[in-house]
Amino acid sequence: MEWISGVAGALALVVVLSSILRTLVVPRGLHSALVFRLWWVLRRTLRLTAPRGGYAAIDRAQTWLAPLMLIGMLATWLCGALLGFGLLLYALSPLSWTTAFREAGSSLFTLGFASGSRLRLSALDFVAAATGPVLIALQIAYLPTLYAAYNRRELEVTLLQARAGEPAWGPEILARQWLVDTETALPELYRAWERLASDMGESHSTYPILLTFRSPRPHRSWLVGLIAVLDAAALQLALAPRHAPPEARLVLRAGFTALRDIARALRMPFDADPSPDAPIRLTFDEFDAAVAMLEAAGFRAERPSKEAWPHFQGWRVNYEAIAYELCRRCDAVPALWTGPRDFTGGAIPPARPVDRRPDRRRPELPPKEK
């Protein structure tokens, strides 16, 4: 029994140490099964609090996912360390189960108990006493990095609201620029989101817990915003290639590269080299309705819808599958062109501002996705 206890305790400590290093220390998107299992359990538990609600109820419940993840990770690691040291103390001494775990807890949380002249147990107590404060210190140092990345992300998402609506939608970005004659500002938007996409690809793959941090407003989402910008760039390249800025190609590449980096950190399967003519889930009818809306807003297409569709499809196939799966896992706001969710309710179109200019008529939105 002592051998089994010792091996089990050592394995528990190895699992906990590996999870801590992968999550908090190593600057690379390494997968921690312990953290991702906790994410799955907490997400499912919070979903139970809104079993029949639509997106509003789901969003209210999932708002608590990020803080619960931070507390849950710390509690899981401390409990795992307590279990490991308790099993090792029991294996290396004649102590009873109760006494072994009591001594492990007093050492781990630095309450002041000692093991007397028992040299082997004193050394183990010292290791346990160092583990608790170091773990808590790492968790505290982890928070500024998370919130700095969160603030950078949400600043651009907030700025996107005036250009893309809320929730964001790719065709809406182009329609609004042509409605108010600000289409020359699109290159700057693409450059900002190219940099943000690279930032998110690095930060969200290194610290996947950022995926659980929701935007301050229910209808905003970094993921939906990224999809909207990528769709806008793909639409512009497909419909008007001669007048599309080179930044459109750059933001597309940065966007789907970032999504793939995040997918690798989550161990999501994806096609790294999809065929340009591979099918996508967005239908031609949805695309054609969006093109009609753009033309009503004053956008001048160089290609008709049928001719532009294969080009748009060739761009979107690089990111659609990953984006849809991430939106489903993150319970993102169900915006247009972002795929299905695990809860009831259809896609939410962007809120339309009132256009008081007499020389422009506001184009109609395409039908809602089912």
Side-chain angles (χ1 to χ4, degrees):
M1 190 63 185
E2 286 78 7
W3 280 100
I4 296 175
S5 175
V7 171
L11 287 176
L13 289 178
V14 168
V15 170
V16 169
L17 179 61
S18 174
S19 179
I20 294 170
L21 293 176
R22 286 169 175 268
T23 304
L24 303 181
V25 181
V26 180
R28 181 170 292 185
L30 300 180
H31 186 274
S32 172
L34 199 62
V35 171
F36 282 97
R37 180 57 59 181
L38 176 65
W39 181 5
W40 184 87
V41 170
L42 288 177
R43 177 174 175 256
R44 294 280 177 164
T45 303
L46 289 173
R47 289 287 301 274
L48 293 176
T49 63
R52 296 183 180 180
Y55 171 70
I58 294 296
D59 178 71
R60 285 194 299 269
Q62 295 299 329
T63 300
W64 295 96
L65 181 58
L68 288 177
M69 278 291 298
L70 292 173
I71 296 172
M73 287 192 306
L74 181 61
T76 300
W77 290 330
L78 287 174
C79 289
L82 175 63
L83 175 64
F85 284 116
L87 291 173
L88 284 176
L89 285 171
Y90 177 78
L92 297 175
S93 72
L95 299 177
S96 65
W97 287 104
T98 304
T99 306
F101 278 95
R102 179 171 175 268
E103 186 165 321
S106 69
S107 300
L108 184 65
F109 297 103
T110 62
L111 297 179
F113 293 102
S115 56
S117 59
R118 298 166 296 180
L119 182 60
R120 288 185 303 175
L121 298 192
S122 294
L124 197 58
D125 286 337
F126 292 152
V127 174
T131 301
V134 169
L135 174 54
I136 295 173
L138 284 174
Q139 181 84 339
I140 293 173
Y142 182 55
L143 294 180
T145 302
L146 291 181
Y147 280 98
Y150 174 78
N151 289 334
R152 291 194 304 270
R153 185 188 82 186
E154 293 305 316
L155 173 62
E156 293 296 336
V157 174
T158 302
L159 289 173
L160 185 66
Q161 176 193 359
R163 301 184 184 222
E166 194 176 282
W169 183 43
E172 184 76 5
I173 295 177
L174 299 182
R176 291 195 182 196
Q177 305 315 303
W178 262 264
L179 274 171
V180 295
D181 300 322
T182 57
E183 60 270 17
T184 55
L186 281 172
E188 182 182 353
L189 174 69
Y190 293 151
R191 282 193 295 269
W193 276 83
E194 178 194 2
R195 181 174 295 275
L196 179 63
S198 301
D199 187 341
M200 292 190 298
E202 184 275 330
S203 59
H204 289 54
S205 60
T206 304
Y207 307 112
I209 191 176
L210 282 167
L211 298 172
T212 66
F213 280 68
R214 303 183 74 83
S215 293
R217 292 177 62 92
H219 286 177
R220 291 180 192 168
S221 167
W222 68 271
L223 188 53
V224 169
L226 179 59
I227 296 171
V229 173
L230 297 183
D231 283 341
L235 274 168
Q236 196 170 7
L237 287 168
L239 292 169
R242 288 183 296 178
H243 292 87
E247 289 85 356
R249 293 178 179 270
L250 296 176
V251 74
L252 277 164
R253 181 160 295 276
F256 68 70
T257 299
L259 290 175
R260 290 176 182 182
D261 289 342
I262 296 172
R264 290 189 187 95
L266 300 182
R267 294 190 176 178
M268 284 172 44
F270 64 90
D271 188 355
D273 188 21
S275 173
D277 57 354
I280 60 176
R281 298 176 68 174
L282 188 74
T283 65
F284 173 75
D285 290 339
E286 292 171 311
F287 173 78
D288 188 50
V291 172
M293 185 202 73
L294 288 177
E295 291 176 345
F299 181 89
R300 295 182 180 180
E302 300 168 9
R303 293 168 173 159
S305 296
K306 288 186 179 180
E307 186 179 338
W309 170 248
H311 297 275
F312 178 78
Q313 179 182 357
W315 283 113
R316 203 171 205 261
V317 73
N318 290 288
Y319 59 88
E320 185 191 72
I322 299 175
Y324 278 19
E325 179 62 17
L326 284 175
C327 283
R328 187 192 67 81
R329 292 192 185 190
C330 296
D331 294 313
V333 53
L336 297 171
W337 293 18
T338 60
R341 302 291 189 272
D342 291 338
F343 47 83
T344 59
I348 302 174
R352 314 305 296 271
V354 177
D355 189 2
R356 302 186 184 278
R357 294 174 54 179
D359 59 330
R360 291 287 179 91
R361 292 185 60 191
R362 188 69 186 173
E364 295 295 329
L365 281 170
K368 285 186 178 182
E369 296 176 14
K370 299 298 182 182

